[in-house]
Amino acid sequence: MKKIITLFAIVGFLSLSSCTVQDNNGTTVNNTKPAQAFEIKNIDLNKVTSNEYNLSGTFNFEIGGDLFDNETVLIYRLTGTVNSSTPIWQLIPRTLSWSNGDVLQYYYDFSKVDFVITAYGNYNLLNRSEFIDNQTYRVVILPSDLLSSVNVENYDDVLSKINSKDSQIQILKL
C-alpha cells in the first residue's frame, strides 16, 4: 500500500510540475517579465585606477528585482547625436584607438543581480575625460532567445524587436 501511495505522489507531482498555467479564459500566462530598458544619464564613472573607471548598479534598484535565468543584458553608450532628436547609441563592448597608440576599451559584465560598466585604457583616462565624465548609457534587458533574431549592433532594431520606443525608456539619475 505504501508503494502505491508513493507512486501516486510521484506521478501527481510530475504531472503538476509540467503543467502550463492558464488564466480563466484558457490562455497561457507568461510568468516572465517583459523586455525592458532604462537609461543612466549624465553619470561620471568612478575611479578604480588611473587607467580604469567603472559604474556599478543593481537590477533591484533599477528595475525592482533580479533578472530571470533566461534574460540577458545589452548596454549601449551615447556617443553623440545626429540632431537634437536623433541620438547615436553604440553597443558595448567597444574599443577606441588613437594614432598615438592610446587605446580605450568599454566593456561590461552582469549577473542576475547587478552589472558593472568599465572603461579601461592603456593611458591615464583623465587625459581624455570626455570618455569617462558625463556619460549616458542605455541598458536593455531582454529574453535570451531574442538575441538570434535581432541585430544587436542596431539599437533601433533592438527596441523594435522588444516593442519599445525611446519615449518609454525610464531615465535614472544615479
Side-chain angles (χ1 to χ4, degrees), residues 20-36:
T20 57
V21 178
Q22 294 186 347
D23 68 9
N24 292 337
N25 296 328
T27 57
T28 301
V29 175
N30 184 356
N31 288 326
T32 61
K33 291 183 277 189
Q36 55 191 310

Side-chain angles (χ1 to χ4, degrees), residues 39-50:
E39 180 175 304
I40 302 167
K41 189 174 181 121
N42 301 332
I43 192 84
D44 294 343
L45 300 182
N46 301 307
K47 183 177 182 177
V48 178
T49 65
S50 66

Side-chain angles (χ1 to χ4, degrees), residues 112-146:
K112 288 174 26 175
V113 298
D114 64 3
F115 63 92
V116 177
I117 301 169
T118 301
Y120 180 83
N122 65 349
Y123 64 94
N124 183 335
L125 296 185
L126 288 178
N127 294 336
R128 289 199 168 104
S129 62
E130 67 271 21
F131 292 99
I132 57 173
D133 292 339
N134 201 31
Q135 297 295 295
T136 298
Y137 300 96
R138 289 266 173 101
V139 179
V140 180
I141 302 165
L142 66 158
S144 298
D145 60 353
L146 285 182

Side-chain angles (χ1 to χ4, degrees), residues 90 94-106 120-123 128 131:
Q90 190 175 67
R94 182 68 63 189
T95 300
L96 307 173
S97 58
W98 290 269
S99 60
N100 69 350
D102 287 353
V103 176
L104 172 63
Q105 296 176 326
Y106 285 103
Y120 180 83
N122 65 349
Y123 64 94
R128 289 199 168 104
F131 292 99

Side-chain angles (χ1 to χ4, degrees), residues 74 76 142-162:
L74 300 173
Y76 297 84
L142 66 158
S144 298
D145 60 353
L146 285 182
L147 287 178
S148 63
S149 64
V150 66
N151 176 6
V152 297
E153 293 283 337
N154 186 321
Y155 174 76
D156 292 327
D157 283 355
V158 173
L159 275 192
S160 176
K161 187 69 172 180
I162 65 172

